[in-house]
């Protein structure tokens, strides 16, 4: 990696530890069937000629109340994600997804997944999917549910409040020992989007990827309950809302994500490299946020990976990254270095042998890594110059060797 980026991609948290994988066989089966369907479609004569990507036009503008809600699309393959990354004051990391998906082969699902990471320890992963009839929107209450709102004895899984006025998440999963996460957001920086927030794929613009930076930075407080034990939580949060009308493996070769917060600033980066169909073009965004607003956002940056380590699946996973961007008023340069790999997820490992061979021949063998790192950035925004240093986490999705 190292080319300039020109497009943003929304990444989502779908990784599982070994125990989490067993709990989520149904989800993996859905993905497996979708990839097999794609493989069969590919072998009927469709070629992999390069296709264009059309980024959104227009200036950066505030997100609206409409951007908060579910976006109904006509495509059969569809995924919508309300993604949260929480960095607690005690050093924990929570990676949270509230989602609605449909792979086009059966009725869609809604659900939530939560990864709880303690530095130096393996993550604890909880996930729950439910039939689409459990997905509800109540605009008068500003709530989106994936559970039965009429049964107070059932799991309570919903998000509420349109940022930046108010927002909270209430996610409960009773399986595997049980987890309940109740967080309220405060001091929310107003969200932004580029143009209408939507990227269009292919000459006929038949597929879409939209992203809304709903909460670029906020404080959170609340409780985390694990089994019978409850803990107070305070910390920093980042939230984005996205939807896409194709499977990630249909347009991604590799993705790298990084988020961190200090008392004064937040720094967010996402880069992907498109697959062969989309010319292996790099894409991404970089954002600097202060206490009040998004100070700087650009798609024009250079991200380089170094010190690649071959993992057992044959993928080269970079363990050090440098990033650089500059224009007439601003300049950013820095790096982060891996200190510990804490999560690895291989989707094909959970498939039956025949299915695995078909999918691998077409879609490869996607692997997801998450690691702990130390970082250091030097940032100049207009006349202001400052540094950011500390410990953080980053993620790498390798979908193509």
């Amino acid at each position: 990696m190292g080319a300039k980026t020109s497009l943003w991609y929304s990444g989502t948290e779908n990784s599982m530890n070994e125990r989490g994988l067993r709990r989520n066989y149904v989800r993996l089966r859905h993905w497996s069937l979708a990839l097999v369907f794609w493989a069969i479609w590919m072998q009927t004569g469709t070629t992999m000629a390069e296709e264009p990507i059309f980024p959104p036009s227009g200036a950066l503008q505030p997100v609206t109340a409409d951007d908060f809600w579910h976006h109904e699309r006509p495509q059969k393959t569809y995924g919508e994600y309300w993604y949260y990354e929480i960095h607690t004051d005690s050093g924990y990391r929570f990676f949270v997804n509230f989602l609605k998906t449909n792979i086009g082969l059966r009725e869609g699902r809604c659900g939530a997944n939560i990864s709880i990471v303690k530095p130096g320890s393996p993550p604890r992963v909880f996930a729950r999917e439910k039939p689409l009839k459990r997905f509800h929107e109540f605009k008068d209450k500003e709530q989106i549910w994936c559970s039965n709102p009429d049964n107070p004895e059932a799991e309570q899984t919903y998000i509420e409040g349109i940022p930046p006025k108010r927002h909270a998440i209430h996610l409960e999963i009773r399986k595997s020992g049980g987890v309940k996460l109740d967080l309220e957001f405060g001091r929310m920086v107003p969200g932004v989007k580029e143009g209408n927030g939507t990227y269009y794929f292919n000459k006929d613009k038949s597929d879409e990827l939209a992203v809304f930076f709903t909460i670029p930075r906020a404080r959170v407080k609340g409780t985390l309950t694990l089994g019978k034990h409850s803990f107070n939580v305070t910390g920093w949060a980042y939230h984005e809302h996205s939807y896409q009308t194709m499977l990630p493996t249909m347009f991604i070769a590799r993705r790298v994500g990084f988020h961190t917060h200090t008392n004064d600033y937040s720094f967010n980066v996402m880069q992907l490299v498109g697959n062969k169909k989309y010319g292996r073009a790099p894409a991404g965004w970089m954002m600097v946020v202060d206490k009040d607003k998004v100070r700087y956002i650009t798609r024009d940056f250079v991200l380089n990976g170094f010190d690649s380590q071959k993992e057992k699946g044959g993928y080269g996973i970079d363990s050090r990254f440098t990033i650089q961007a500059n224009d007439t008023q601003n300049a950013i340069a820095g790096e982060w270095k891996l200190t510990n790999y804490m999560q690895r997820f291989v989707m094909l490992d959970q498939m039956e042998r025949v299915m695995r061979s078909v999918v691998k021949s077409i879609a490869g063998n996607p692997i997801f890594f998450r690691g702990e790192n130390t970082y250091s950035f030097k940032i100049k925004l207009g006349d202001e110059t400052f540094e950011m240093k500390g410990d953080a986490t980053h993620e790498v999705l390798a979908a193509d060797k």
Side-chain angles (χ1 to χ4, degrees):
M1 295 185 295
K4 281 194 174 184
T5 62
S6 59
L7 175 66
W8 186 88
Y9 167 69
S10 170
T12 59
E13 160 63 13
N14 285 302
S15 60
M16 309 289 165
N17 60 13
E18 183 176 352
R19 183 173 59 183
L21 285 171
R22 290 197 297 268
R23 292 199 304 268
N24 291 280
Y25 172 77
V26 173
R27 173 183 300 163
L28 291 167
R29 186 167 176 263
H30 291 172
W31 275 80
S32 303
L33 289 171
L35 287 171
V36 169
F37 177 79
W38 178 42
I40 295 171
W41 174 75
M42 287 294 296
Q43 292 176 349
T44 61
T46 304
T47 63
M48 290 292 284
E50 290 187 14
E51 290 278 2
I53 302 173
F54 302 93
S57 59
L60 199 68
Q61 57 184 294
V63 296
T64 68
D66 289 341
D67 298 326
F68 170 76
W69 301 106
H70 164 59
H71 295 71
E72 194 71 42
R73 310 309 300 162
Q75 292 88 342
K76 291 183 178 180
T77 298
Y78 175 85
E80 187 155 10
Y81 310 91
W82 291 260
Y83 173 72
Y84 303 84
E85 188 165 320
I86 313 297
H87 298 189
T88 74
D89 295 334
S90 58
Y92 283 74
R93 302 286 189 264
F94 303 159
F95 303 93
V96 180
N97 240 338
F98 182 85
L99 54 94
K100 179 184 180 184
T101 62
N102 181 35
I103 62 171
L105 298 180
R106 57 168 294 167
E107 183 186 12
R109 312 283 286 179
C110 67
N113 56 66
I114 304 171
S115 287
I116 301 171
V117 179
K118 177 183 179 181
S121 301
R124 295 192 64 178
V125 180
F126 302 84
R128 185 82 158 96
E129 288 188 347
K130 298 177 183 179
L132 205 54
K133 67 181 181 180
R134 294 304 180 202
F135 185 86
H136 307 280
E137 290 186 315
F138 302 100
K139 294 194 175 182
D140 57 334
K141 299 178 181 179
E142 297 184 352
Q143 294 179 345
I144 305 176
W145 286 68
C146 181
S147 56
N148 185 353
D150 298 322
N151 182 2
E153 302 300 321
E155 290 179 340
Q156 302 291 293
T157 301
Y158 66 101
I159 61 178
E160 65 175 340
I162 297 177
K165 291 184 178 181
R166 71 182 187 99
H167 193 64
I169 60 176
H170 309 280
L171 305 178
E172 182 180 12
I173 299 171
R174 294 179 181 174
K175 289 187 174 181
S176 306
V179 62
K180 187 176 182 182
L181 185 62
D182 293 290
L183 296 177
E184 293 184 2
F185 290 66
R187 292 159 53 183
M188 287 177 275
V189 171
V192 297
K193 60 183 178 181
E194 295 182 279
N196 67 356
T198 306
Y199 299 83
Y200 299 94
F201 291 73
N202 310 316
K203 296 181 180 69
D204 59 359
K205 299 184 179 181
S206 54
D207 281 304
E208 303 171 21
L209 168 66
V211 59
F212 311 102
F213 306 106
T214 316
I215 306 177
R217 171 185 168 95
R219 287 293 290 176
V220 292
K221 65 177 181 179
T223 59
L224 168 69
T225 302
L226 294 171
K228 298 180 180 180
H229 303 283
S230 294
F231 309 89
N232 292 326
V233 174
T234 59
W236 297 101
Y238 167 85
H239 167 47
E240 69 190 32
H241 176 198
S242 65
Y243 72 82
Q244 60 197 39
T245 61
M246 52 188 163
L247 297 174
T249 48
M250 295 183 72
F251 62 98
I252 296 174
R254 183 161 298 205
R255 175 172 60 83
V256 178
F258 176 95
H259 303 280
T260 193
H261 307 274
T262 68
N263 287 334
D264 297 314
Y265 298 97
S266 297
F267 190 89
N268 306 304
V269 178
M270 184 67 72
Q271 188 202 53
L272 69 86
V273 177
N275 62 16
K276 184 178 179 180
K277 180 178 180 180
Y278 295 102
R280 302 198 182 278
W285 55 266
M286 177 173 62
M287 178 191 300
V288 181
V289 188
D290 67 15
K291 296 178 180 179
D292 301 312
K293 62 183 180 181
V294 175
R295 287 283 303 276
Y296 181 65
I297 184 169
T298 183
R299 288 182 272 134
D300 189 15
F301 66 92
V302 177
L303 178 67
N304 288 302
F306 299 94
D307 303 332
S308 178
Q309 301 177 8
K310 284 284 187 180
E311 59 86 41
K312 60 184 180 181
Y315 290 86
I317 304 300
D318 298 320
S319 59
R320 182 170 67 92
F321 295 87
T322 64
I323 192 166
Q324 184 175 2
N326 59 77
D327 55 36
T328 57
Q329 300 293 324
N330 310 287
I332 296 174
E335 69 173 7
W336 66 87
K337 297 179 181 179
L338 175 73
T339 56
N340 176 50
Y341 268 125
M342 58 189 180
Q343 200 167 8
R344 179 182 187 272
F345 165 61
V346 183
M347 185 174 65
L348 293 188
D349 287 352
Q350 303 303 305
M351 298 180 186
E352 298 176 1
R353 185 180 63 176
V354 174
M355 185 181 294
R356 185 188 308 133
S357 63
V358 174
V359 172
K360 187 174 182 180
S361 68
I362 302 298
N365 186 16
I367 298 179
F368 179 92
F369 294 87
R370 178 172 284 130
E372 299 170 312
N373 64 65
T374 59
Y375 69 89
S376 176
F377 303 123
K378 293 183 179 180
I379 301 173
K380 177 182 180 296
L381 300 179
D383 296 329
E384 182 182 6
T385 301
F386 57 94
E387 294 187 7
M388 295 181 66
K389 294 182 179 181
D391 300 316
T393 57
H394 70 275
E395 58 189 30
V396 178
L397 171 66
D400 193 357
K401 297 178 183 178

